[in-house]
């Protein structure tokens, strides 16, 4: 960290590996995070680890060393950025069935994922006319930014991706030669699992962006970028742009959707209460409750106390 860098280090991380006993890993990891004042969420499952954490440089270094000592995690995939203030309110270490939920038994990204593509090589791949580019993120993420020319599956949850692909498979693969398929997501975990699913469907030329959008935005200069808009992130920053600079979106604390300048200009937008996406779906009683919650949050901010944090869509972390 330089003297001009924001003081909080934010790390999105994941690794597909095999954990035989997540229960034995959880308590020491949670204790190490608490001891260092690290906040965020880490998910453990038989298929590996996933999460986003934030803290001081020394505390994050300690936790990364702890995680890299876990089975199969020496080459942990991480994306880093900085924040002026802590973007999380607490630390959670949870055991899940999957570290990113697809609901497809037998998919093993640790051994059968597609080919990594480094950010520096991504433009050349997606510029090819025979490459099909697919955004594996959720619809509300795609709405605020994506790569030019990418297909938006319009899915509300990553669990919906397999059904979407199977319904479109014949159209996507029509022609004499099977196309290259390139996929991407926020930090790399969803697109890596999606490539394993496509390989299980018999496809061979399947690629995914190493480090995800965050790695690309950090590595590729804006004048060379194929990215358009901002990238939604699952913490209090809401969105980031090139060089991982803070974005222009807020979060609607009624429906947890990202809110841009046009949304904020709408008469249906009330900070902390409603936005154009959810105004018609909420009762006056709910809006009254949201308004009181927002008032209490503001009072807590004035006193310098933490209030209840945002719950992000679909419960995703990091990716």
């Amino acid at each position: 960290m330089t003297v001009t860098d924001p003081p909080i280090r934010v790390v999105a991380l994941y690794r597909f590996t095999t954990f035989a006993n997540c229960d034995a890993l959880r308590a020491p990891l949670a204790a190490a995070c608490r001891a260092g004042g690290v906040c965020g969420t880490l998910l453990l499952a038989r298929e590996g680890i996933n999460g986003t954490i934030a803290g001081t440089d020394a505390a994050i270094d300690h936790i990364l060393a702890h995680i890299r000592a876990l089975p199969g995690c020496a080459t942990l995939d991480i994306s880093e950025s900085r924040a002026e203030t802590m973007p999380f309110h607490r630390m959670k270490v949870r055991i899940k069935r999957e570290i990113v939920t697809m609901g497809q038994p037998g998919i093993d990204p640790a051994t059968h994922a597609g080919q990594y593509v480094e950010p520096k090589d991504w433009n050349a791949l997606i510029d090819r006319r025979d490459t099909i580019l697919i955004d594996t993120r959720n619809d509300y993420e795609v709405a605020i930014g994506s790569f030019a020319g990418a297909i938006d599956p319009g899915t509300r949850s990553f669990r919906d991706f397999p059904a979407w692909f199977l319904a479109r498979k014949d159209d996507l693969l029509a022609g004499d030669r099977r196309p290259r398929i390139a996929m991407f997501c926020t930090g790399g975990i969803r697109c890596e699992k999606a490539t394993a699913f496509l390989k299980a469907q018999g496809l061979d030329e399947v690629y995914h962006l190493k480090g995800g959008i965050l790695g690309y935005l950090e590595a590729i200069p804006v004048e060379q970028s194929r990215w358009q808009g901002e990238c939604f992130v699952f913490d209090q920053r809401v969105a980031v742009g090139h060089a991982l600079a803070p974005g222009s979106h807020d979060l609607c604390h009624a429906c947890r959707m990202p809110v841009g300048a046009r949304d904020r200009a709408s008469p249906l937008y009330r900070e902390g209460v409603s936005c154009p996406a959810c105004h018609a779906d909420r009762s006056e009683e709910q809006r009254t409750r949201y308004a009181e919650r927002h008032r209490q949050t503001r009072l807590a901010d004035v006193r310098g106390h933490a209030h209840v944090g945002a719950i992000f869509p679909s419960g995703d972390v990091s990716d």
Side-chain angles (χ1 to χ4, degrees):
M1 184 179 77
T2 70
V3 293
T4 58
D5 283 337
I8 303 298
R9 183 175 169 196
V10 184
V11 176
L13 61 92
Y14 78 93
R15 180 65 177 169
F16 285 109
T17 183
T18 300
F19 289 153
N21 187 351
C22 292
D23 288 325
L25 304 180
R26 180 184 176 279
L29 180 56
C33 290
R34 287 194 299 269
V38 171
C39 294
T41 299
L42 292 172
L43 303 181
L44 297 169
R46 182 173 176 80
E47 67 178 7
I49 186 168
N50 174 31
T52 304
I53 54 176
T56 65
D57 284 290
I60 293 298
D61 283 341
H62 180 71
I63 298 305
L64 290 179
H66 182 108
I67 295 173
R68 287 180 172 127
L70 300 179
C73 290
T75 54
L76 189 70
D77 291 283
I78 67 171
S79 297
E80 300 191 26
S81 58
R82 312 292 305 193
E84 292 288 350
T85 59
M86 173 61 75
F88 303 106
H89 292 280
R90 58 182 67 86
M91 186 67 222
K92 295 174 286 187
V93 181
R94 294 176 170 171
I95 297 175
K96 295 282 189 177
R97 188 182 302 273
E98 300 176 70
I99 56 173
V100 59
T101 302
M102 177 180 267
Q104 295 291 313
I107 300 299
D108 184 11
T111 58
H112 292 97
Q115 299 181 47
Y116 278 129
V117 179
E118 297 287 344
K120 65 182 178 62
D121 301 319
W122 184 248
N123 288 354
L125 173 64
I126 67 175
D127 285 349
R128 294 184 60 132
R129 297 184 64 181
D130 59 349
T131 296
I132 293 176
L133 181 61
I134 301 175
D135 194 330
T136 64
R137 300 173 303 151
N138 303 325
D139 52 5
Y140 54 87
E141 299 171 78
V142 180
I144 70 170
S146 191
F147 283 105
I151 295 173
D152 173 14
T155 50
R156 189 67 178 80
S157 166
F158 186 56
R159 183 185 287 273
D160 301 329
F161 180 83
W164 172 83
F165 179 80
L166 293 175
R168 294 283 306 276
K169 181 178 179 181
D170 290 342
D171 291 337
L172 291 171
L173 304 184
D176 296 332
R177 183 185 182 280
R178 290 202 167 187
R180 295 174 174 84
I181 296 182
M183 295 187 284
F184 62 93
C185 59
T186 310
I189 185 171
R190 283 178 284 185
C191 56
E192 184 163 344
K193 198 163 191 178
T195 63
F197 174 74
L198 264 62
K199 291 196 74 174
Q201 301 302 312
L203 281 79
D204 295 320
E205 287 200 71
V206 186
Y207 304 86
H208 55 110
L209 176 58
K210 185 174 177 60
I213 300 162
L214 297 179
Y216 181 90
L217 293 178
E218 184 176 23
I220 304 302
V222 62
E223 62 272 13
Q224 299 175 19
S225 177
R226 304 295 192 271
W227 179 261
Q228 297 177 341
E230 295 178 355
C231 178
F232 183 88
V233 291
F234 293 93
D235 60 54
Q236 296 294 329
R237 295 171 298 169
V238 183
V240 297
H242 285 91
L244 304 184
S248 61
H249 285 75
D250 297 321
L251 196 73
C252 173
H253 290 281
C255 66
R256 316 305 187 192
M257 293 293 105
V259 176
R262 181 178 298 180
D263 299 311
R264 291 191 293 269
S266 167
L268 301 180
Y269 175 72
R270 288 177 58 197
E271 184 180 0
V273 178
S274 67
C275 73
C278 70
H279 187 273
D281 299 327
R282 298 297 192 271
S283 67
E284 192 58 39
E285 179 184 353
Q286 286 175 309
R287 285 194 286 271
T288 299
R289 189 165 68 249
Y290 299 154
E292 176 60 21
R293 180 183 62 190
H294 184 62
R295 187 181 75 86
Q296 293 293 337
T297 300
R298 286 301 184 89
L299 289 173
D301 289 342
V302 170
R303 294 192 298 266
H305 297 159
H307 199 261
V308 177
I311 300 172
F312 288 89
S314 79
D316 288 325
V317 298
S318 151
D319 205 11

